[in-house]
Amino acid sequence: PFLLSKGRSLISSIMLPDVNHVIRVHTDGIILSKPINKTQKLGDDIGMLKYEGQCNQCVVKSVNDVKGKFQLP
């Protein structure tokens, strides 16, 4: 439980500056309507948020139905 709450706290602190651009928050990630601020904790190490790409026209119809063409970095 502590590890999950730590992860949720990390994700919420990263998305807080861009909260007006949040489209979807899921267990282990977020979708924003603009590129994420690169000064945030991005990387592949433990405790860092992994940046997986960008989608300019993302449509969320339901929890499991997310459409769009995601561009990898």
Side-chain angles (χ1 to χ4, degrees):
F2 174 75
L3 209 50
L4 291 175
S5 63
K6 179 66 176 170
R8 289 180 181 142
S9 175
L10 175 67
I11 289 175
S12 64
S13 69
I14 288 173
M15 72 177 185
L16 189 59
D18 299 316
V19 73
N20 293 331
H21 299 280
V22 173
I23 295 176
R24 180 178 189 233
V25 179
H26 200 272
T27 305
D28 59 354
I30 57 176
I31 297 176
L32 302 171
S33 63
K34 71 172 203 151
I36 192 167
N37 184 353
K38 299 289 186 182
T39 61
Q40 300 291 346
K41 296 181 177 182
L42 298 177
D44 291 329
D45 294 330
I46 293 176
M48 301 182 99
L49 186 68
K50 183 178 178 182
Y51 179 73
E52 293 185 342
Q54 169 181 343
C55 180
N56 294 327
Q57 295 181 345
C58 179
V59 177
V60 179
K61 292 186 177 183
S62 67
V63 173
N64 295 321
D65 191 8
V66 180
K67 304 264 189 226
K69 184 176 180 184
F70 288 87
Q71 302 166 359
L72 300 177

